[in-house]
Amino acid sequence: MSTLVARMAAAPPRRRAILPGAALAGLALAALAALPVAADAAGLPFLVVIATRMMIFGLAALSLDLVLGYGAMVSFGHAAFIGLGAYAVGILDAHGIRDLAVQAPVAALVCALFALVTGAISLRTRGVYFIMITLAFGQMAYFFMVSLAAYGGDDGLPLAGRSTLFGMRLIEGDPALFYAVLAVLAVALLGLRRVVASRFGRVLRGSRDNAVRMQAIGVSPLPYRLTAYVIAGAIAGLAGVLLANQAEFVSPAYMSWQRSGELIVMVVLGGMGTLIGPVMGAAALIALEEVLAHYSDHWRLGLGLMLVAVVLLSRGGLAGLAAKLGRRA
Amino acid sequence: MLNLFLIQALNGVQLGILLFLVAAGLTLIFGVMDVINLAHGALYMIGAYLAATLTAATGSFGLGLLLALPATLAFGLALELLVIRHLYGRDHLDQVLATFGLILILNEGVRIVWGAAPMSVPVPDALSGSLHLVGTLHYPLYRVAIIAAGLATALGLHLLVNHTRLGMRLRAGASNGPMVAALGIDIRRLFLVVFGLGAMLAGFAGAMVAPILSVDPGMGDSVLILTFVVIVIGGVGSVRGAFVAGLLVGLADQLGRTFGPILLRSVMDASAASQTGRTLAPMLIYILMAAILFFRPSGLFPARGSR
């Protein structure tokens, strides 16, 4: 009860929040759109590649947040959807179907179906069970791809080239891919903002905050949770489509369970239950990887120490830290 | 054919016993402490590395194994005091993040201390032969020893959990932790004991497989996931469930890999059967888990009282 009051008190007044938010988003979009030009002028073209990677993982982390932040379901198998989306591109490519108009819907559909089946089973359970089961299903998809020798198996599968869109080779260059990813991310952000604000989103958050009360007022949380899980899976599949195109290579490593863990870290560090937070978290983690990996092969040690320290030193966990920072801002 | 079946069944039992040793500690940690510990597989890895190093240092596998046990126990206790202790009562997500961080630290730490190349431990001379079972069937003596040691440990755990005061507290903790604390049991010490015991069991399993598997920095991760499957099937907090589920998973995995393609050959042609079989076999245990959960969402032997 007290947390509910605190949350209501902490919520900013609506009318004042909208305008600066929109202005800020527009500014960020403009700055991002100028990045390829600026990077080219500065002679640092690899920045575009890194920024594209950040946005692709931002998209995946954003989709995970719908499950984790808005639905309070700790899914530890989200990387499987990225991998399945990437393999949809890879396998279609191997059969000569190289158009996004086919690849993207197939990827989204495959991921949605996988999410529907595994979600229906996983969501029968809660808490620790749910974490372990989603992890296990993620590993199942991983081992399936590892043993799929016809499509590269453990070694992965190189693409013949980047995908076309309606026969046009639109995303050949890195700047073009950057703009394509930016557009997808912006559409996903706007779309999810509407989803979260809708009745569906309110029921999802209501079930997160108090599932018993939701049931008492006559709403069963399960179909809403499952729908959120399926939507998140499909969006992560699209992130996989983009990732496959950036690397022009598909590998089971995309769906390893460490990747799923990293996605959770992105969401939590960036801010659960917000839309832009996970995107920022993804950007921060990839930037950290780039910097730490530059200094040492053992950069994962630094990341691990940081994670343990953040959790141990912040009273009430990361959520508490985020709330504290939010109150200060 | 029968020989092949028996060999694979024995391999399955051996894998199942190992999974049980890792899962028994972890299921108690989940059940009694309500902490999700992703770093449990890393303890298995630490056990294997310590056994490998101590074997090389003492020149005797038996001595190395014997010394590795208290060393893993000490490592587990230190881990509990330094990190895990602060995670009780926290959000599951916090526990996931902190123990995920621990995995990164331990895997990378092992790589720094022992290097990325796999280490190998020779099978001890006394156990290097093979045992004659029936007919023409022979089975490596060392694997028989693993099964025997695992069964002895299982029996010891059964006695500990069901016939001692400590075991009574463990079972009470798994069924209703707050009530145990309210009745005046020092729950912190109980937690420390549970974690140390779990670490030692995982380390024991790691030390025992060191001679038959390569000891490398990622070895804990694959075991961790299989252990999760075992715990989910067996029911969180139930040592008996972990035993049954461990054997089930071990047998399903080993028999599925060999006989899946053979069975499929009766419905499709040989090359397609071996291809499909090879692809489906690693998924078999996850399908098994999904099927069991569909009918019993809290596993075969749920320890926690219904709430």
Side-chain angles (χ1 to χ4, degrees):
Chain A
M1 191 65 202
S2 61
T3 55
L4 192 69
V5 173
R7 191 167 285 143
M8 285 167 73
R14 262 211 177 154
R15 229 171 258 165
R16 240 186 291 161
I18 285 175
L19 198 69
L24 213 66
L27 213 65
L29 202 65
L32 273 174
L35 181 86
V37 183
D40 192 43
L44 300 166
F46 67 93
L47 280 184
V48 176
V49 177
I50 295 177
T52 308
R53 200 177 149 74
M54 285 175 175
M55 290 194 297
I56 292 173
F57 280 101
L59 184 65
L62 176 66
S63 70
L64 177 61
D65 191 35
L66 186 66
V67 174
L68 188 70
Y70 290 95
M73 300 171 265
V74 183
S75 166
F76 210 125
H78 209 63
F81 299 111
I82 300 182
L84 288 176
Y87 265 97
V89 172
I91 292 176
L92 286 173
D93 182 273
H95 291 286
I97 301 170
R98 298 181 52 196
D99 205 280
L100 277 176
V102 180
Q103 289 176 343
V106 167
L109 205 67
V110 166
C111 288
L113 270 177
F114 186 70
L116 186 67
V117 174
T118 60
I121 297 169
S122 313
L123 284 171
R124 290 166 61 88
T125 64
R126 305 288 302 152
V128 171
Y129 274 101
F130 185 79
I131 301 174
M132 289 194 277
I133 291 163
T134 48
L135 180 58
F137 278 128
Q139 281 308 101
M140 181 177 92
Y142 172 80
F143 283 121
F144 179 76
M145 288 311 173
V146 164
S147 53
L148 199 62
Y151 296 103
D154 210 5
D155 299 328
L157 178 67
L159 302 189
R162 285 196 179 153
S163 305
T164 55
L165 183 59
F166 300 116
M168 291 175 290
R169 311 178 78 182
L170 280 180
I171 51 172
E172 267 327 273
D174 283 335
L177 182 66
F178 173 89
Y179 286 117
V181 173
L182 180 61
V184 173
L185 181 61
V187 169
L189 273 172
L190 288 176
L192 279 181
R193 205 170 75 143
R194 295 198 63 161
V195 167
V196 168
S198 67
R199 177 177 181 277
F200 169 78
R202 288 203 305 277
V203 171
L204 196 61
R205 276 176 289 156
S207 318
R208 168 191 72 186
D209 294 338
N210 195 331
V212 176
R213 192 176 292 172
M214 286 313 285
Q215 273 168 327
I217 59 173
V219 182
S220 165
L222 183 67
Y224 291 87
R225 287 187 174 138
L226 188 56
T227 309
Y229 196 73
V230 171
I231 293 175
I235 295 178
L238 291 180
V241 171
L242 296 171
L243 191 65
N245 267 296
Q246 188 186 28
E248 298 186 35
F249 181 71
V250 178
S251 138
Y254 292 170
M255 51 214 301
S256 73
W257 69 281
Q258 285 93 340
R259 276 259 174 262
S260 297
E262 282 170 23
L263 283 173
I264 295 182
V265 173
M266 288 171 184
V267 172
V268 177
L269 288 188
M272 283 197 302
T274 65
L275 290 177
I276 198 68
V279 182
M280 310 276 265
L285 193 69
I286 288 176
L288 192 72
E289 276 184 26
E290 293 288 336
V291 173
L292 288 178
H294 187 71
Y295 288 108
S296 165
D297 287 342
H298 300 296
W299 62 272
R300 282 174 190 276
L301 186 69
L303 179 62
L305 285 171
M306 192 193 77
L307 275 179
V308 174
V310 166
V311 173
L312 291 192
L313 298 181
S314 64
R315 205 174 267 278
L318 286 166
L321 188 71
K324 229 185 294 172
L325 290 176
R327 245 174 278 141
R328 205 173 297 161
Chain B
M1 191 71 169
L2 184 67
N3 273 359
L4 183 64
F5 179 82
L6 282 176
I7 293 254
Q8 288 303 329
L10 280 172
N11 282 342
V13 169
Q14 184 237 303
L15 176 64
I17 290 279
L18 282 173
L19 288 176
F20 161 70
L21 287 179
V22 184
L26 191 56
T27 200
L28 282 176
I29 292 171
F30 279 142
V32 178
M33 296 144 76
D34 198 28
V35 165
I36 177 156
N37 175 25
L38 298 177
H40 203 71
L43 293 168
Y44 164 87
M45 171 184 73
I46 295 283
Y49 269 98
L50 286 174
T53 308
L54 291 168
T55 300
T58 59
S60 146
F61 178 74
L63 209 55
L65 181 70
L66 218 59
L67 289 174
L69 288 182
T72 331
L73 175 67
F75 190 85
L77 293 179
L79 204 60
E80 204 272 352
L81 290 170
L82 285 174
V83 178
I84 306 291
R85 169 154 292 195
H86 305 282
L87 298 175
Y88 302 142
R90 297 282 283 270
D91 197 37
H92 282 148
L93 192 56
D94 284 345
Q95 298 166 356
V96 164
L97 283 171
T99 52
F100 181 65
L102 275 182
I103 295 183
L104 296 180
I105 295 173
L106 293 177
N107 279 359
E108 221 40 69
V110 160
R111 223 169 259 145
I112 291 171
V113 174
W114 282 285
M119 287 174 84
S120 65
V121 178
V123 174
D125 286 336
L127 297 172
S128 61
S130 63
L131 191 69
H132 180 243
L133 294 179
V134 281
T136 55
L137 186 64
H138 289 265
Y139 197 67
L141 197 57
Y142 186 74
R143 287 175 185 262
V144 177
I146 290 185
I147 295 177
L151 286 177
T153 315
L155 183 67
L157 261 182
H158 172 79
L159 294 177
L160 177 77
V161 169
N162 292 310
H163 297 284
T164 66
R165 184 161 287 271
L166 175 67
M168 194 172 72
R169 289 177 182 170
L170 289 183
R171 278 178 292 134
S175 135
N176 192 338
M179 182 59 88
V180 176
L183 289 174
I185 309 288
D186 185 349
I187 199 103
R188 286 200 157 238
R189 220 183 59 196
L190 184 65
F191 284 178
L192 186 65
V193 169
V194 170
F195 196 86
L197 185 70
M200 196 167 70
L201 284 173
F204 181 48
M208 279 204 307
V209 292
I212 52 173
L213 292 180
S214 77
V215 179
D216 61 62
M219 68 184 287
D221 297 355
S222 48
V223 163
L224 176 77
I225 316 264
L226 287 178
T227 306
F228 278 180
V229 173
V230 168
I231 291 174
V232 165
I233 291 179
V236 165
S238 164
V239 175
R240 187 172 51 144
F243 185 73
V244 174
L247 288 181
L248 210 58
V249 167
L251 284 171
D253 187 61
Q254 294 295 321
L255 293 178
R257 274 171 210 274
T258 315
F259 292 95
I262 294 175
L263 286 179
L264 283 172
R265 213 170 291 163
S266 56
V267 288
M268 54 177 86
D269 68 282
S271 72
S274 82
Q275 174 70 37
T276 319
R278 264 207 307 272
T279 312
L280 284 183
M283 294 171 65
L284 191 65
I285 55 168
Y286 302 103
I287 297 169
L288 178 75
M289 178 193 77
I292 287 176
L293 280 180
F294 192 78
F295 295 106
R296 305 195 60 142
S298 43
L300 294 175
F301 303 95
R304 212 166 272 268
S306 56
R307 317 182 180 168

